[in-house]
Amino acid sequence: MKTGFIGLGAMGYSMARNLHKAGLLAAVWNRSPEKAQAFQAETGVSAAASIAELARDCDCVVMCVSADEDVLAVADALGHSLGEGALVIDCSTVSAETAKTAAARLAERGIGFLDCPVSGGTEGAKNATLAIMCGASAQDFERAQPVLQAMGKRIVLMGAAGSGQATKAVNQIAVAGVNQAVAEALAFARAHGLDLDKVIEVVGGGAAASWHLTNRGPNMAKMEFPLGFKVSLHEKDLKICREMAASLGVQLPIVEMTLLHYRRLIEQGHSDEDISSLYRLKRAMFDNPKG
Ligand code: NAP
């Protein structure tokens, strides 16, 4: 399958690199051309000048862009340029409704669509160990296997279009909870004068072990928050979760609290930091108990 990649961001660049390693990548395109040019310089894979040019060389296109409107804009452009029978695999995190809309628009042109949001962070993207939750027909899921297996490890078909994104919303609620728990626990540990690296080592070997504690805890201890996963992107995801819960008449406490905290971080200028910068607020709470 000749595959193209759109969206060479923190996740996409490494995912595209893994497709190249698997011998599947025919071309890449990025909105700001520098990233595509850097990718071409590194791998020799052609940097297309436009989405239409990329589509001409491909029968499958993977995208990993930011938000709902971005996915629909790219899907529409692909709908006008890919041939019948092609596949579009969207690894961005957006709403289930957006996935259903993209799938329906592309189906009108005989193009298959899979919503395939991913989890595992930039490390998972780099090491091709992403968890991939898919919403697609069984037939398209089968056809996409070589591409999905080049990027991820645990790949599960959840159901029809939209069900991959619904599953990703589940993931994002859990990530918010873990981020809250780890940031609060480490701020508490620091306030008690404990060595944070030792705390991470020993607590990370017990019942409170988590990916977030092991992979982000050491950065929190240093008050460094390199990407990772941007605060602004998780805020976008939690707003999707809020809407999905509201449609069932429910308000989720962890989602609401985390949205409030992320808004504070964004107002303080930290929107492009990793979500572990929530630790800033938790630490400040102990530094200024009455604040
Ligand atoms: P990022 O570093 O901000 O990259 C976003 C990419 O999308 C960039 O290449 C950007 O192009 C492109 N893009 C945005 N809007 C576009 C548009 N309208 N048309 C064409 N290209 C567009 O973001 P990321 O961290 O890689 O995340 C990408 C997606 O994966 C998001 O939906 C995010 O929620 C999800 N995700 C992220 C992580 C993580 O740990 N980072 C984990 C799982 C899922 P430019 O270079 O021109 O800006």
Side-chain angles (χ1 to χ4, degrees):
M1 187 129 49
K2 285 175 74 186
T3 304
F5 201 98
I6 293 178
L8 301 168
M11 296 294 286
Y13 199 100
S14 301
M15 293 159 76
R17 194 189 271 135
N18 288 326
L19 288 173
H20 170 60
K21 283 188 198 153
L24 295 168
L25 199 60
V28 295
W29 179 80
N30 195 70
R31 181 177 56 181
S32 29
E34 308 78 49
K35 288 181 195 163
Q37 283 152 10
F39 192 88
Q40 178 172 317
E42 181 195 320
T43 60
V45 172
S46 145
S50 64
I51 292 183
E53 188 183 303
L54 174 114
R56 267 202 303 276
D57 289 338
C58 299
D59 37 30
C60 172
V61 175
V62 182
M63 68 167 122
C64 189
V65 297
S66 304
D68 295 73
E69 60 276 16
D70 307 312
V71 167
L72 291 177
V74 173
D76 286 344
L78 286 171
H80 287 107
S81 28
L82 278 172
E84 214 176 308
L87 281 185
V88 173
I89 299 176
D90 176 31
C91 295
S92 326
T93 304
V94 295
S95 72
E97 281 314 306
T98 292
K100 287 181 201 164
T101 302
R105 288 186 195 171
L106 287 167
E108 282 171 19
R109 295 179 173 267
I111 299 168
F113 177 87
L114 299 89
D115 49 303
C116 289
V118 299
S119 178
T122 44
E123 291 82 351
K126 198 170 164 199
N127 301 325
T129 53
L130 291 167
I132 310 183
M133 27 214 116
C134 309
S137 70
Q139 195 193 6
D140 286 345
F141 181 68
E142 206 46 49
R143 287 173 65 208
Q145 280 308 303
V147 174
L148 298 175
Q149 282 174 14
M151 302 187 294
K153 264 246 164 80
R154 194 167 300 189
I155 302 162
V156 178
L157 177 61
M158 301 304 302
S163 50
Q165 294 296 353
T167 310
K168 177 70 185 188
V170 174
N171 186 80
Q172 296 312 74
I173 295 168
V175 167
V178 174
N179 192 21
Q180 286 286 350
V182 170
E184 198 161 297
L186 290 185
F188 174 89
R190 173 181 170 271
H192 282 276
L194 295 168
D195 178 321
L196 291 190
D197 289 326
K198 286 187 182 171
V199 168
I200 293 162
E201 185 189 344
V202 69
V203 173
S210 70
W211 183 97
H212 199 73
L213 178 66
T214 304
N215 288 281
R216 298 291 179 251
N219 289 341
M220 294 188 199
K222 287 184 273 178
M223 279 297 272
E224 289 172 5
F225 310 103
L227 289 175
F229 184 36
K230 280 179 204 164
V231 170
S232 57
L233 285 178
H234 200 196
E235 185 195 45
K236 161 199 64 112
D237 299 349
L238 292 179
K239 285 180 177 166
I240 293 171
C241 300
R242 171 192 267 167
E243 293 235 324
M244 288 175 74
S247 73
L248 304 173
V250 173
Q251 204 179 48
L252 295 172
I254 288 174
V255 168
E256 292 306 320
M257 177 174 59
T258 308
L259 278 169
L260 190 78
H261 288 158
Y262 285 173
R263 207 33 23 219
R264 240 176 252 165
L265 285 172
I266 289 167
E267 281 161 14
Q268 292 172 13
H270 304 302
S271 94
D272 284 347
E273 285 183 346
D274 186 75
I275 58 168
S276 48
S277 72
L278 175 62
Y279 180 64
R280 289 180 185 281
L281 303 185
K282 302 288 184 183
R283 223 176 90 141
M285 198 165 68
F286 286 99
D287 287 346
N288 181 19
K290 288 185 194 141

